[in-house]
Every structure is written in C-alpha cells, then in structure tokens.
Amino acid sequence: MHGCVNVANWPLLPLWLLGMLLLTQPVWAANFQILHAETQLHEGVYLVNADMHFELSADSREALDNSVPLTVQLTFQVRRQRDWLWDQVIASVQQRYQLQYHSLAQQYVVTNLNSHQRHSFPTYAAAMEYIGRLRGFPLLDQTLLDADTRYQVRLRAELDIHSLPAPLRPLAYVSRAWRLRSHWYSWML
Amino acid sequence: MIDSLRHRPLLPMLLLFGLMLLALLMMSDATQHSERFNELYFWLLVFSAGGLVLLTVLIGVGLYQLMHRYRQHEPGSRLSLRLMVLFVALALVPVGVVYHFSLQFLQRGIDSWFDVRIEDALNDALELGRSALDLRMREALKQTQRIAEDLRQPNRTGVAMQLDEMLTYTEATELTLFGQNGRIIATASLDPLRIVPHQPPDIVFLQVRQGHDYLSLDPIHNVGFHIRVMVPVPSVGSADETRMLQALFPVPSRLGELADSVQSAFDSYRELKFLRNPLKTSFILTLSLVLLFGVLAAFWAALYAAQRLVAPIRELAEGTRAVAAGDYDRQLPLTSNDELGFLVHSFNQMTRNLAHARLAEQRSQQLLKRQRTYLQAVLARLSSGVLTFDHSGCLRTYNIAAEQILHTRLGKRVGRSSDDHPPNHSPSQHIQRFFEALKPWLQHPEDWRQEVTLFAGTGRLVLMCRGSSLPDPDRLRGGHVVVFDDITALVQAQRDAAWAEVARRLAHEIKNPLTPIQLATERIRHKYLKQMEPEQARVLDRGTQTIIQQVQSMKEIVNDFNNYARPTRLNMTPIAVNRFISELLYPYRSNRHGIRVVFAADTADPTLMADASRLRQLLHNLIQNSLEALSETGGQLTVCTRVCSDQGQEHLQVQICDDGPGFPDGRIGNMFEPYVTTKPKGTGLGLAIVRKIVDEHGGLIDLANPPEGGAQVTIRLPLNSPSCATTEENKA
C-alpha cells in the first residue's frame, strides 16, 4: 500500500495540496503510447486500426491485482481543418475497455464497455496486448463527410480515473501515478 | 479605521464561506457517489484550496494590521488582540478535540470492517469453489482429449459433422477446431444462434501449439462460467498441420451461481481491503479540509468579531483622548442600544456639557479680561504709582505711573522680593532702597502712610507712600497695595512758601523799623555829638556807633533771609566742574591757619549744567564751614569729585571732607533747617542755603560723620538732566 498517503501525518495539508496540484501532470507516453494508427474505408465506413502499448503504473497495477476494475478509454476525434480558423471537431467517439482481475478464474477479464463483450486472458500482458490491438473499429460513415474538405483524425488513450472507485479518486486526481494518458496521435483521414 | 471596519466586506466573506462550504459538500458527495460531481472533483479541490489560501491571506493581513496597531499603541488594539486570542482558543480547543476523536473513530471504524476470520473464510470459500470446479475441469479436459483423439482420424462425414456428433455424447456446449494459424476449421455449438465461436486469446494458441493443454475457467458475458479447454489434436502424418480443439463446457447453474457469488464477495472484499487506506485518506482529506475551513473561518470570525466588539470602545477611547486634548466638540456615532450605546450616549452628553462649560468659562474669562483691561487702563492713567505685593513681600503688579515715578522698569522684579534680585540684573540703588524702605511696612496690618526720600539718577525723589492690606478671604491671594506719589515738587513748594512768608515778615516787621532807627541814631549823633563834653561825646559816639553797626548787621541778616527765601531764577550754563572747583579753591590754599586744601578731581572731567554763581555760593558756604571747624586745630580739607552711574543715569558726586570735630551728635537730622547753627556767630542760614541750592539743582545732600573722624558732606547733582530747568521754571 505504498501508493497511499496518510494525510493524518501531514500537518501542512494546504501546502501539500497546493504542491501536489502544481506538480501533478499527466504521465506522458512513457506508459500509454500509440504506436501506429490508420483509417481504412470499407464499404462506406471508415474503420480504424491502431497499435498501442499500455503499461500501467505500479499503483494502478496493484489496484488491478486487488480486484479494482480499471477503465481504459480511447478517444477518437474527427476534425475538419480550416485555413483561417481553428479546427472544428465534427465527431468524437469513445471506446472504453474495462479490465478486471477475476480471482476465482485467475483470469484478466477485458470487457468492451461499448459492446459488452468479455474476453478472458490468463496473463496481464495478454489482456493489455488485446486492448492495445484495435482492428476495424468503425469511426464514421463516409457520407457524413464533405468530399473536398480535409479531415484529421486524432486518437488518445488514457486511464479513466473518473471510473475508479470513489475512495481512490481523490488520490488519483492529485497523484502522477494515476494520471496515465498518451499524446494525441493524429493522421489525415 | 472605524469606517474601514464598518465597511468591512462581511457579505463577500459570507459568500466565500458559503461557496467553500458548498464545494466541500460537493467534494464529500463526490467521494461517496461515483456519478455526481465526478468531473468537478478536481476543480472543487482547486477551488477549496484557493479559498483556504485566500482566507489565510486575509487573516494574515488582518493579523498584521492588528499587530501594527498593537505596536502603535492604538486604543482598543490590545483588547482586540486579547479577544481574538480568546475566541480562537475557544474555537480551536473543541474543534481540535472533535478532530482528534473523529480521526480515531474514522481509523477504527474503517478498520473494524475487516476481520481476519472473514478474510480466511472468503479465501477458504474461494479455494472450495476452485476445488469444486477443478474436478469438473479435469473431467472436461479428459473429455476434450478423447474428442481430440477421435478427431485424429478424419471421418467420412467431415469434421463439422463429426463435431456436431460429438456434442451429443459429451457435455460440451461448443466445439471448435482451429488450424495451425488459428484459423477455424470447423465449429459446433449447442446454441443455434451462435455462428462465431468464442475465440481464445493468442497466448492460448501459442501454448497449445507448443503441445500443452489449456484449461481455464472463463466468465463469459450473459452465459456465466464456462470451462474452456484447448488441446492439440494429434496429427496423422508429419505433413499435416497441428490442429487445436477448443471445447467449452458449461458449469452447472447452481455451481456457477455459487461460484459467482463467492467470486463476487471475494473480489468485493479484496477491493474494499485494498481501498481501505485510500478511503481513510479520502475521508481524512475531506475532514481536514472541513476542519481547516472551520478553523480559518473561526479565526476570521474571531478577528472580525473582536474588532467589531472593540470598535465602540476604541471610538470611546479616541473620543476621550480628543477631549483630553481639548476637542470638546467630539460626538461619537450611536450604533447600538446596548450598554456600549449607553456609554456612547453618556460620552456625547458629557462632551456637550463640557463644551457648554468651556463656552461659559471663555465668556467669563473674556469678561474678566475686559475688567482687567479696564482696571489696567484706570491704573495706567493714574498719576499715582500703584504696586501690589503678595503675602511674602514679592511684587505682583505695578502700573505705568509707578515706573514713571521711579524712572525704572519693574517687569523683572515681578514675583521677587526686595532681597531677591533678578539674574543678570543689577538693580538701581534707589529702587533697592525704595523696596527696602517699604519692606517693614508690608507686614503692617493697618493702613499706613510714609514719606520716602530717594536719590534717583535724575535727582532727589520724595515719595508719599500709602499702604493697605488687601483682603484675603480664602488665604489665597491677599498681600499689600502701595500707592505712592511724587511730592518732591510739592515739598519744595511748601518749603519755599514757608520761607517766603518768613522773609516777608522779616522784611515787614524787622527791616522797616531798622531804617528809622538808623536815621534817628544818626540824627542824634549829628545833633548832639558836637555839643557835648568830650567825655560824654565819646560815650554817645560809641553808643550811636554801636546802634548803627547793629542795625546794619540786622539789615544784612534780613538781606540773607531775603536771599534765602526769594525765588531764584537760575542761569544754567555748562560748567567744567574740575576747573571750576580748582579756581574756587585757589584763594583758600593760602589760609592763615595752615590748613591743607586738597582737590581730588575725577579724570572724566565732567560738565555740569548749573547756575555758576549759586554753585559757587554753595561751595563757599561748605568750605568756609570746614575752614571754621579746622581754624583752631588745623588739618586737611579734601574736596573730591566723581562721576557715578546708576541704572544708566549719571550724576556728579562732590564730597567735602575735613578731619575736624565733625557734626554734633543728634543734630545731623535738622542741620539744614534755618536758624540751626553750632557757631556762636552763625546765622543758621549757611547750610539751609546750601540745601536750597542743591534742591534748586535737583540734587541731594547728605551729612555724615565718617568712622575715621571729621565731617563729610556729600552732594549728588544730576548730570545732563533736564529736570533742573524744569524745576526752576516751576519755581519761577
């Protein structure tokens, strides 16, 4: 339980809070990385294929091994590029996976929260590999796009700390170990 | 200061407190419910921390101002500080106690959720579940291995049919045959809707491909627990690819439910156990934030309340200080109706009364001042000098006439007695003598009159003083008032008038019969002297001659009186004194009695405005008196002149001394009166005329018998004084 902070031992709570707030920044690509992503047009639908690498921090891994469900969220944004104005987000799609350790089965269960499909994996690495390999994810219909406009797709992966159990959330908000997030990975549609 | 307190932003502060309270409530809610305020938690935390920092800064500023006022000794600051410390202590102690016990209860309460026995029981239940399923799983493995063995030899009906067939005599719900690369060769399922089989993870393929069996319990969505078995299918020939068979066996529903329940309970317990410390941290964080907010709010409230409570007292203190400094118009605003309001009301009433009293006092002082000015004006216009002395003999007041009569400034003598001279001030001798002359009379309880004769720098002063004790009902003031007039001219006039009368009578009563007597005697002599016998004629001649001589002598005496009594018109001319006296003494130096005549002249060689003939007569009379006194014994006659200065007024002092027998004892006082003489042939007019001439010149003459013997006559005549001419004109 070394990830927990005993607040009662901190007499200067406000200073600690302020310091934590100032120092707290997302742990960038060191843990969550998007290696490659692309879009394919298949029967009028843009499908996304992406290869990602996810590595949980020690704190989050410990929580996972203690049956705390973790949620990994992929966020896709389709942006229309404009010459004189900032880009316009015309579509935002999320793909969420819940990762949980099953004590009885001794399996890591990955649940696709969009489709509610479950997959069991005997090892953590297999589960993370499964999440990190996205194939044929339907992004949007081609008909929704203008032919003569340039579109950019962005992808970001992050650990959804809002979905954590309530007692963990305050710590997750202020601790670097819990702020796992990748850079935006962009490519042209 | 009072205004700033009055306009202290109480409303914004209450708003801040309300917002912070709301934020803390939302934070507390967010830590307990996963849905509400989740997104806001971070910003709520930031807002709360910011609010606490702002509150700390405000308190710091307030404390700094309070300490600054305390160091400046501003009224009320000490009480404010004391009240604030008291309030804070009153707030901190119970809050601290509650916080301490809350922490204890929190720790113990959360810890009490966990019990080693429950944990053991759950572990045992999990182990039991696993054991129960393990048997089933082994059975499933055996069945799968048999099926795999059966699949080794391909059936005529095809693999798919073969799998369908196998489903019927095994407990499997789904059988799938995979190729080397994970490709599905054939599948059979009891679920007619299921077309795509449950795909195993890649790692399972890898394991089976290496010749190991795979056996696991998979929780499958909407289906419950399933036993997933995957085994390699032995190939017939070496050229055949390795195939893999996956079989899914259902867990009996009751067993599945029980396993699910155990699994759920175990995972929940494990999660809860893991979350124990974060839970504590979260609760303590929220509790500490609430406590910090409460303490800071109490601190601010204490600061505010202390200053608010002390404000009227400070106003009162400032008002009192203003009144002490003389600002009687200070009115304090009445802000409350409590005891402090009553005090403020009383203070305002007091200042109003003080203002009225001060106005009345100012009026009475103005009245007094006017009366004093009036009295001073009256005194200033009095021709008499007025002096007042206190009970200890110190001069208190004087009027202008007093200074004019005494020819001196009296300002420096105010508050001093006759013995006490002002510093750096040499008092004029006549003023000192005057005060010494008055001193014995100042203790006199009754009214008194006294004539005081002084020699001022301007000449002789005869002052008629009248004194009276001042009333002293409260033994506070009292003292003495002395009114005096310059009666020098009056005395002189009275004396002149008296002697003019004497002269007139002498002329009328004595001189008129003398001529007939002389004429008759001469006629008798002329008629009978030739006819008589020589003897008789000799008697007649002697007799008539005696009569004629005596009558002549009487005529001379009468003429002397005339000279004395007749008003004289002085012919004032500047006289070089040393030369004048030197010439005058010349005939006396060769006298027949061998008397030595010495003249000690002042080196300053003064010039005196005087009538030369009268001055000559004065000196002749005095020198002749001395020579007559020395005629029998011989001796020395000394005349000396000296210029003396008294308070800026110069006068000439002429002393005539001899070493004769001196003046008879007890008669010095009336030696200047007419007909007073010690000589057998004297007329008694010599010194009287001398005194008259000195008076005419505004001088003073003193007779004395010095201790070393002889007689000493001192004459003091004013140098460059206009009073001589004035005196003579008055007399004329």
Side-chain angles (χ1 to χ4, degrees), chain B residues 85 144 162 208 224 320 370 449 511 535 598 613 619 694 698 725:
Chain B
V85 170
T144 310
Q162 198 175 2
V208 175
T320 312
R370 279 203 297 273
R449 289 169 65 90
K511 192 179 178 182
E535 188 64 26
V598 177
S613 62
L619 293 172
V694 169

Side-chain angles (χ1 to χ4, degrees), chain A residues 151-176:
Chain A
Y151 294 96
Q152 186 195 45
V153 184
R154 297 206 304 178
L155 168 60
R156 186 174 71 179
E158 64 187 324
L159 182 71
D160 183 15
I161 53 178
H162 301 307
S163 303
L164 289 172
L168 262 182
R169 256 176 276 139
L171 190 64
Y173 284 126
V174 296
S175 166
R176 290 168 65 94

Side-chain angles (χ1 to χ4, degrees), chain A residues 162-164 169 173, chain B residues 30-31 33-42:
Chain A
H162 301 307
S163 303
L164 289 172
R169 256 176 276 139
Y173 284 126
Chain B
T31 54
H33 303 88
S34 50
E35 300 302 326
R36 292 165 61 188
F37 311 128
N38 258 351
E39 300 292 329
L40 288 173
Y41 188 89
F42 181 75

Side-chain angles (χ1 to χ4, degrees), chain B residues 372-512:
Chain B
R372 188 183 174 88
T373 309
Y374 175 75
L375 196 63
Q376 279 181 345
V378 170
L379 284 173
R381 279 153 185 76
L382 276 179
S383 60
S384 302
V386 178
L387 302 175
T388 60
F389 297 87
D390 62 11
H391 57 274
S392 60
C394 296
L395 180 65
R396 291 194 64 85
T397 57
Y398 59 91
N399 67 346
I400 298 172
E403 288 187 328
Q404 288 172 345
I405 291 172
L406 295 172
H407 302 292
T408 189
R409 294 277 176 196
L410 292 171
K412 290 187 177 178
R413 293 203 67 95
V414 172
R416 298 175 185 278
S417 63
S418 61
D419 305 327
D420 184 14
H421 305 303
N424 305 321
H425 180 256
S426 58
S428 53
Q429 289 177 2
H430 73 284
I431 295 297
Q432 187 62 25
R433 212 169 295 152
F434 178 59
F435 279 102
E436 281 170 3
L438 290 181
K439 190 177 175 184
W441 291 101
L442 295 180
Q443 308 300 328
H444 209 270
E446 305 293 334
D447 291 357
W448 51 271
R449 289 169 65 90
Q450 175 68 22
E451 187 178 307
V452 178
T453 304
L454 305 170
F455 181 73
T458 53
R460 188 167 54 95
L461 273 179
V462 181
L463 304 176
M464 175 53 71
C465 303
R466 298 175 295 280
S468 180
S469 293
L470 290 171
D472 180 17
D474 298 330
R475 295 184 177 277
L476 292 174
R477 300 291 291 258
H480 225 85
V481 60
V482 176
V483 181
F484 59 94
D485 290 292
D486 183 4
I487 57 166
T488 311
L490 186 66
V491 168
Q492 189 63 46
Q494 284 177 346
R495 189 170 288 165
D496 289 347
W499 288 113
E501 182 64 18
V502 169
R504 192 185 63 78
R505 290 203 176 188
L506 280 173
H508 186 72
E509 301 296 336
I510 300 172
K511 192 179 178 182
N512 288 352

